[in-house]
Amino acid sequence: MSFQRYDYDVIANWIEPGERILDLGCGDGSLLRYLAEVRQVRGYGVEKDPERVLACARNGINVIQIDMEEGLAGFDDGFFDHVIMSLSLQAMHNTQGILKEMLRVGREAVVSFPNFAYWRHRQAILNGHMPVSKNLPHQWYNTPNIRFFTIADFDDLCAQEGIAIRERLAFDEDKVITDEPNFLASVALYRLGRSETATG
Amino acid sequence: MKEQQSVGIVVPQTAHFSDPLPLKSGGVLPQYDLVYETYGTLNAARSNAVLVCHALSGSHHVAGRHADSGAEGWWDNLVGPGKPLDTRRFFVIGVNNLGGCYGSSGPNCINPATGKPWGADFPFVTVEDWVDAQARLADRLGIERFAAVVGGSLGGMQALSWTLQYPDRVAHALVIASAPKLTAQNIAFNEVARQAILKDPEFHGGHYYEHGVVPTRGLALARMIGHITYLSDDAMGQKFGRALRHDKPVFSYDVEFEIESYLRYQGDKFAGFFDANTYLLTTKALDYYDPAFAYNGDLVAALGRARADYLVVSFSTDWRFAPSRSREIVYALMHSDRRVSYTEIDCPAGHDSFLLDDPQYHGVLRAYIDNIRL
């Protein structure tokens, strides 16, 4: 998918060669494989689904089969340079907990998610239906997504949790959106850090 | 899907070693035999060798069948043409460990110094000693470096230990249903099993061979205890439930519940062929294994020497070697910057799951092994 590659390129640009990377919800490991190719990262993926774990094994990706809803207790503080969660945050119950864990075990976190306030989604709701699109391909009754939030909502959460937004890029398909991203962007990518003023 | 076949009839071989083997206990084995089997062909580059390490009651007979007894190898579902550990690609070796009772030097063999069976005088052997002995066999077979060392349970400890004792001689380690060291509870089960043997009146301080008897009652009890811990509560419940042989209580200590019948049968069968001294020695080897001990309990530091890549596998219902114990290995390897993958297989059969051919389990093993470059 063209979007996937665009997503990957942005993430790769935020990563230095040779970094330690943790990819939460790594799927078949294709992002880690890409980052190993272009950034020679030392990567590990976390995945719960047995079929995806099998796909990672086939792809030669280091995969650790645990349920990240239960936190990352086995991972040391600050061990990773970047902890990535690509298009999975909206499917997590423990949103605040996992963000905190990502910034505990990683120096920085990279998060991407579908923007539920994208204008086509708003249009779908105005027309009386839950949005179904390229980035939200499921019907309401079978979607794995459980948290429905927007770019504006996520910015608020970061402020509330003392999470520093180091960089944010928003897209409609593979076009960068700079004006009115909460209205015009279907997906957002964030580079996050621990806020200097935050304690604990 | 590849067609899976058996390696067919296999013949064990014996290698004699006359160089003394120094042991972790401080003792020495002046000379010894190792019985082993091989499957497949060592390639010209000698790069396709895989060592399979056995657990408490296993042996060198990993795959195929013995012509005389027809006995099938204990991990035949894993090793063979078209199987996850494919003998068309790999040269696979199974070795009976020192102290064993299947032909390698052990308590039931003659002590050359006395001309009598070793019995209780056979020295304590550890996981590290086994690995040292296996390395000498590898030397003898011309194998400088294993493509992989594979083991479940106590065998997984050997696979892990290989990568620490001989970091340059192992490319991949598959550590299955294992632990970086036993818990107090796990040692406790071993101790009850040992006491059953040691307190059997026919044990005679370990020199029962000379009395022409075997402490079968103790050994059978030890096996019964082990069996309980190798199965899950659910698996046992599904297999036996509360089924009564007479369909109602008859108020007797004879077999009434089907689980009693099963355990007695398994215990008696085991006591008929296994050696009690081997059982004692092997459970102690399990208890002593603790690679982090010399590093003040710091497993990451202990793994610092490792150079291998790892696959760690656990089973959801295994409470004797629980998934959390495998994860200790995984996190320590990751924090030592080793390449490691970990899967927890959802399988109802408890610790014994590692011997089954669950599709997800064998799928992951196959995928991992297929990616091993020779």
Side-chain angles (χ1 to χ4, degrees):
Chain A
M1 272 198 306
S2 63
F3 165 74
Q4 284 288 349
R5 290 309 300 253
Y6 198 71
D7 183 31
Y8 288 9
D9 284 343
V10 171
I11 294 172
N13 281 335
W14 286 344
I15 286 169
E16 297 293 323
E19 283 192 358
R20 287 191 187 126
I21 302 293
L22 182 65
D23 184 7
L24 300 176
C26 67
D28 66 2
S30 52
L31 172 59
L32 282 171
R33 200 169 178 156
Y34 178 69
L35 293 176
E37 268 169 38
V38 301
R39 290 288 180 272
Q40 298 78 46
V41 299
R42 201 180 274 280
Y44 300 85
V46 166
E47 183 55 66
K48 188 175 81 166
D49 179 71
E51 280 182 31
R52 292 177 191 158
V53 169
L54 187 53
C56 285
R58 290 199 178 109
N59 285 327
I61 295 300
N62 297 320
V63 62
I64 296 172
Q65 188 178 22
I66 55 168
D67 183 358
M68 59 185 174
E69 288 280 10
E70 290 165 17
L72 302 172
F75 296 77
D76 286 354
D77 292 0
F79 183 73
F80 291 98
D81 297 297
H82 282 97
V83 181
I84 302 169
M85 188 182 282
S86 173
L87 299 175
S88 295
L89 189 64
Q90 75 282 358
M92 294 280 302
H93 276 100
N94 188 10
T95 315
Q96 291 151 287
I98 196 66
L99 286 170
K100 200 173 169 185
E101 280 287 79
M102 289 173 78
L103 287 169
R104 177 182 68 79
V105 305
R107 185 169 50 78
E108 287 191 337
V110 172
V111 171
S112 68
F113 57 84
N115 175 29
F116 282 82
Y118 178 48
W119 68 273
R120 286 184 196 276
H121 300 160
R122 298 189 195 202
Q123 191 179 43
I125 298 268
L126 284 176
N127 287 335
H129 289 283
M130 287 300 284
V132 176
S133 68
K134 196 169 171 184
N135 291 306
L136 295 174
H138 296 91
Q139 295 291 339
W140 64 272
Y141 48 80
N142 64 6
T143 178
N145 300 330
I146 52 172
R147 302 285 186 215
F148 305 96
F149 59 101
T150 69
I151 290 173
D153 289 333
F154 191 72
D155 287 350
D156 288 350
L157 181 68
C158 289
Q160 179 194 311
E161 299 291 311
I163 295 170
I165 298 172
R166 303 251 163 93
E167 216 166 330
R168 186 188 75 195
L169 284 171
F171 304 97
D172 185 9
E173 301 297 324
D174 56 0
K175 278 201 315 289
V176 178
I177 303 294
T178 47
D179 295 334
E180 299 290 343
N182 201 41
F183 187 69
L184 296 174
S186 56
V187 169
L189 276 95
Y190 285 71
R191 186 164 65 84
L192 305 170
R194 288 181 285 258
S195 175
E196 261 107 71
T197 53
T199 53
Chain B
M1 193 70 194
K2 297 171 194 166
E3 197 191 340
Q4 299 196 2
Q5 296 167 344
S6 167
V7 297
I9 302 292
V10 291
V11 181
Q13 301 170 73
T14 302
H16 180 75
F17 296 83
S18 44
D19 287 345
L21 183 74
L23 303 171
K24 204 180 173 192
S25 65
V28 172
L29 260 183
Q31 51 172 301
Y32 54 96
D33 289 338
L34 289 177
V35 171
Y36 66 100
E37 289 180 6
T38 68
Y39 323 100
T41 309
L42 187 62
N43 63 14
R46 298 171 184 269
S47 63
N48 68 334
V50 173
L51 176 68
V52 176
C53 303
H54 70 76
L56 180 50
S57 59
S59 72
H60 53 283
H61 185 34
V62 176
R65 281 178 296 110
H66 285 163
D68 48 357
S69 65
E72 192 171 75
W74 58 270
W75 218 349
D76 191 71
N77 63 23
L78 184 79
V79 179
K83 291 179 179 174
L85 185 46
D86 194 332
T87 49
R88 294 173 304 193
R89 187 160 175 247
F90 293 101
F91 176 63
V92 181
I93 304 168
V95 191
N96 186 211
N97 284 325
L98 287 175
C101 55
Y102 292 108
S104 291
S105 294
N108 64 353
C109 300
I110 300 297
N111 178 354
T114 63
K116 289 194 230 168
W118 281 95
D121 296 334
F122 196 86
F124 278 92
V125 281
T126 62
V127 167
E128 288 84 355
D129 299 329
W130 289 335
V131 168
D132 284 339
Q134 291 160 2
R136 290 188 178 185
L137 179 64
D139 294 342
R140 182 78 59 90
L141 297 174
I143 296 156
E144 175 59 32
R145 187 168 189 252
F146 282 107
V149 179
V150 184
S153 192
L154 178 56
M157 291 173 167
Q158 292 161 62
L160 182 62
S161 202
W162 255 99
T163 66
L164 305 181
Q165 292 176 249
Y166 299 96
D168 298 326
R169 297 189 68 175
V170 193
H172 299 81
L174 284 75
V175 181
I176 301 168
S178 195
K181 61 176 186 254
L182 295 193
T183 57
Q185 186 196 45
N186 209 326
I187 294 169
F189 284 118
N190 284 341
E191 173 59 6
V192 176
R194 283 191 294 266
Q195 285 300 322
I197 294 168
L198 294 167
K199 289 204 156 73
D200 187 313
E202 299 195 312
F203 182 64
H204 296 289
H207 294 286
Y208 44 87
Y209 317 97
E210 297 159 42
H211 293 79
V213 293
V214 177
T216 49
R217 279 169 293 183
L219 186 54
L221 261 180
R223 183 61 169 175
M224 288 166 80
I225 294 154
H227 243 289
I228 297 167
T229 68
Y230 304 149
L231 295 174
S232 69
D233 191 14
D234 279 354
M236 209 181 258
Q238 273 177 14
K239 201 166 174 184
F240 307 104
R242 293 181 49 86
L244 283 160
R245 179 155 284 191
H246 310 288
D247 294 327
K248 61 175 185 188
V250 295
F251 304 98
S252 145
Y253 292 116
D254 289 336
V255 168
E256 284 198 83
F257 292 95
E258 287 301 337
I259 182 63
E260 297 174 322
S261 166
Y262 173 79
L263 284 178
R264 290 187 196 193
Y265 171 75
Q266 291 294 338
D268 291 343
K269 189 175 82 168
F270 187 72
F273 65 83
F274 206 77
D275 182 72
N277 281 316
T278 293
Y279 203 93
L280 293 174
L281 279 178
T282 310
T283 55
K284 287 302 274 189
L286 267 163
D287 294 359
Y288 288 135
Y289 186 64
D290 182 6
F293 187 79
Y295 295 84
N296 294 317
D298 184 347
L299 189 57
V300 176
L303 297 176
R305 282 167 294 167
R307 294 291 170 269
D309 293 352
Y310 297 80
L311 175 66
V312 180
V313 181
S314 72
F315 298 90
S316 54
T317 57
D318 184 352
W319 55 279
R320 185 92 196 248
F321 290 82
S324 57
R325 309 305 319 286
S326 282
R327 287 198 296 269
E328 287 176 36
I329 300 174
V330 171
Y331 291 130
L333 287 169
M334 190 187 71
H335 291 130
S336 305
D337 279 325
R338 300 320 313 155
R339 286 179 53 84
V340 55
S341 281
Y342 167 67
T343 184
E344 179 183 323
I345 304 294
D346 193 8
C347 184
H351 187 53
D352 276 347
S353 299
F354 89 86
L355 294 167
L356 306 181
D357 61 354
D358 175 272
Q360 176 72 15
Y361 169 41
H362 271 202
V364 172
L365 291 185
R366 183 186 291 277
Y368 188 84
I369 293 168
D370 282 352
N371 276 332
I372 293 176
R373 279 195 290 266
L374 301 181

